[in-house]
Amino acid sequence: AMNQDRVNKLQHQVHQVRIGGKGTPRRKKKVVHRSVVADDKKLQTTLKKIPVNLIPTIEEVNMIKSDDTVIHFANPKVQASLAANIFAISGHAENKTVSEMIPGILNQMGGDKLANLQNLVQKYVAAGENTAAPAEGDDDVPDLVENFDEASKDEST
């Protein structure tokens, strides 16, 4: 009976993880703390093996995702190996929406994204949510009525 009790006790201990030595409390699971610094060091050593070059004076990097959110880096550290087609961007990143980034992001967007954006704007206007527009019509840009190229040709003669 003594042996069976001991076997049961040992089997119970196998299922729990003891982190320290004898006398330390048992934990349900071992918590492994992975530091960002360690990850960054691993990444830098891997990049050194490739030979990457630091690209200086890059003001911002924006990664536009398919759900129209943007991963925005301000003054990131950019390293590149053109031969290996590898770009490593490190620094503080923020998640933003495309609408938060307008107008600066417009020149970084591809044609498909711009078309999506135009559709989005039309939806807002159609829904009547464009409350930022001024009530008076004075600030509107007038429609182009005449051809100014023709008028300028007449002036030169």
Side-chain angles (χ1 to χ4, degrees), residues 74-128:
N75 298 318
K77 178 181 175 187
V78 178
Q79 295 163 292
S81 166
L82 295 177
N85 199 16
I86 291 178
F87 292 86
I89 294 138
S90 46
H92 178 67
E94 295 176 298
N95 285 328
K96 296 185 173 187
T97 60
V98 169
S99 51
E100 285 177 70
M101 303 291 292
I102 291 173
I105 201 168
L106 291 177
N107 62 354
Q108 300 171 17
M109 295 174 80
D112 55 332
K113 289 285 183 192
L114 283 174
N116 289 353
L117 197 64
Q118 283 174 333
N119 293 341
L120 198 69
V121 167
Q122 285 168 355
K123 282 181 196 166
Y124 274 123
V125 172

Side-chain angles (χ1 to χ4, degrees), residues 1-154:
M2 179 66 179
N3 270 351
Q4 190 58 42
D5 288 344
R6 185 146 173 89
V7 168
N8 288 342
K9 189 177 175 186
L10 285 172
Q11 281 177 337
H12 179 71
Q13 283 181 354
V14 166
H15 297 296
Q16 291 184 324
V17 179
R18 179 181 281 172
I19 293 171
K22 185 180 172 191
T24 58
R26 288 191 184 89
R27 303 282 162 87
K28 295 290 180 238
K29 64 177 190 272
K30 187 174 180 185
V31 179
V32 180
H33 293 289
R34 291 191 45 141
S35 68
V36 178
V37 177
D39 283 349
D40 197 43
K41 280 181 184 162
K42 277 184 190 171
L43 176 65
Q44 292 307 323
T45 27
T46 311
L47 288 172
K48 277 192 187 109
K49 290 175 189 169
I50 300 169
V52 287
N53 299 323
L54 186 66
I55 302 174
T57 62
I58 291 203
E59 290 175 17
E60 68 172 3
V61 170
N62 292 315
M63 294 181 191
I64 304 166
K65 299 196 292 190
S66 58
D67 62 351
D68 284 338
T69 56
V70 182
I71 303 173
H72 172 76
F73 294 85
N75 298 318
K77 178 181 175 187
V78 178
Q79 295 163 292
S81 166
L82 295 177
N85 199 16
I86 291 178
F87 292 86
I89 294 138
S90 46
H92 178 67
E94 295 176 298
N95 285 328
K96 296 185 173 187
T97 60
V98 169
S99 51
E100 285 177 70
M101 303 291 292
I102 291 173
I105 201 168
L106 291 177
N107 62 354
Q108 300 171 17
M109 295 174 80
D112 55 332
K113 289 285 183 192
L114 283 174
N116 289 353
L117 197 64
Q118 283 174 333
N119 293 341
L120 198 69
V121 167
Q122 285 168 355
K123 282 181 196 166
Y124 274 123
V125 172
E129 291 178 26
N130 196 0
T131 54
E136 64 275 356
D138 297 340
D139 293 341
D140 289 348
V141 176
D143 293 334
L144 188 61
V145 179
E146 54 190 80
N147 189 338
F148 290 102
D149 290 338
E150 293 298 323
S152 64
K153 284 178 190 167
D154 294 342

